[in-house]
């Protein structure tokens, strides 16, 4: 299964979700490949910061031929996750064309909700060629116990795409883990951040079936 994580707005936490989703899937014994399709190379930086054994493979492929090359590069993997670019480009189109499921992270802010329009349009375009392409929103970097965190689901309803019930709260542990090239469960496997990632992964897998 190929999962693309895309939103053309920077700072929504795509790489954080990508590495923690990859780590969550790899914990089940699955072979996981993370493709860093962002020219900034944040997932590669994460892998380079890691001192211990890799949990999964990470390769950089910031080219608009991802959909053509993924069959060869991803051969033998159970899951491939594409950490997409931060802008709508040919590269973003290629990542969407490569994916079976597109996960769109949005922060609970009006700007993010408006900005999601462009990636939704790209998904609609891609469905002309891939009618079985699935797409779903996940609320990321939510501020705990705020009204805007609760209201974001209603605001996203205008897009006709499902919003995962599981959401990810803004927590310091995500930054602390990233700085060391770790997944949050490696720092605190019983903590709320790890629980949110596991809940998101389980719901996403159910959605993707």
């Amino acid at each position: 299964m190929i999962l693309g994580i895309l939103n053309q707005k920077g700072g929504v936490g795509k790489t954080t979700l990508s590495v923690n989703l990859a780590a969550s899937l790899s914990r089940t014994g699955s072979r996981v490949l993370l493709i860093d399709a962002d020219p900034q190379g944040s997932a590669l930086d994460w892998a380079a910061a890691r001192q211990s054994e890799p949990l999964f493979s990470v390769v950089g492929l910031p080219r608009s031929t991802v959909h053509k090359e993924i069959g060869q590069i991803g051969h033998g993997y159970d899951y491939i996750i594409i950490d997409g670019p931060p802008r709508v480009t040919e590269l973003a189109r290629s990542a969407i064309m490569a994916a079976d499921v597109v996960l769109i992270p949005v922060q609970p802010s009006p700007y993010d909700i408006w900005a999601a329009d462009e990636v939704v349009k790209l998904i609609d375009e891609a469905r002309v060629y891939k009618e079985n392409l699935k797409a779903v929103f996940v609320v990321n970097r939510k501020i705990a116990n705020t009204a805007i965190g609760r209201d974001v689901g209603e605001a996203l309803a205008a897009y006709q795409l499902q919003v995962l019930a599981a959401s990810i709260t803004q927590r310091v542990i995500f930054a602390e883990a990233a700085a060391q090239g770790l997944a949050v469960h490696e720092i605190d496997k019983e903590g709320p951040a790890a629980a949110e990632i596991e809940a998101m992964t389980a719901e996403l897998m159910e959605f993707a079936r």
Side-chain angles (χ1 to χ4, degrees), residues 22-208:
S24 181
L25 291 170
S26 68
R27 290 175 75 189
T28 65
S30 300
R31 293 196 65 213
V32 180
L33 172 65
L34 174 56
I35 293 178
D36 191 342
D38 184 343
Q40 292 173 347
S42 299
L44 289 173
D45 290 341
W46 175 89
R50 188 175 178 84
Q51 301 292 313
S52 42
E53 285 288 303
L55 296 172
F56 48 85
S57 305
V58 183
V59 298
L61 191 64
R63 298 201 290 269
S64 59
T65 50
V66 176
H67 62 296
K68 295 177 183 173
E69 298 181 59
I70 202 160
Q72 193 171 6
I73 290 168
H75 184 71
Y77 288 95
D78 302 307
Y79 294 101
I80 301 166
I81 294 166
I82 304 170
D83 183 9
R87 280 175 295 283
V88 168
T89 56
E90 289 307 310
L91 180 49
R93 285 190 173 86
S94 180
I96 290 169
M97 287 301 292
D100 301 310
V101 180
V102 178
L103 181 64
I104 309 167
V106 282
Q107 292 184 106
S109 88
Y111 303 108
D112 283 62
I113 293 159
W114 298 329
D117 190 53
E118 290 187 53
V119 78
V120 171
K121 282 177 181 161
L122 283 188
I123 289 161
D124 288 341
E125 284 173 20
R127 281 180 171 151
V128 173
Y129 307 99
K130 292 184 74 171
E131 57 186 52
N132 295 324
L133 177 66
K134 293 184 173 184
V136 65
F137 286 113
V138 61
V139 179
N140 194 30
R141 305 182 78 170
K142 188 172 78 171
I143 308 299
N145 304 318
T146 57
I148 194 158
R150 293 191 296 273
D151 297 345
V152 66
E154 293 169 26
L156 289 170
Y159 286 118
Q160 314 289 311
L161 290 182
Q162 189 177 324
V163 183
L164 293 182
S167 58
I168 310 296
T169 306
Q170 176 89 310
R171 299 182 195 276
V172 173
I173 190 172
F174 285 111
E176 290 174 344
Q180 301 170 66
L182 297 173
V184 287
H185 80 259
E186 294 179 284
I187 293 182
D188 183 5
K189 69 178 182 204
E190 304 296 332
E196 286 179 349
I197 291 292
E198 290 304 309
M200 179 198 73
T201 303
E203 192 180 354
L204 182 61
M205 292 300 102
E206 193 63 37
F207 172 79

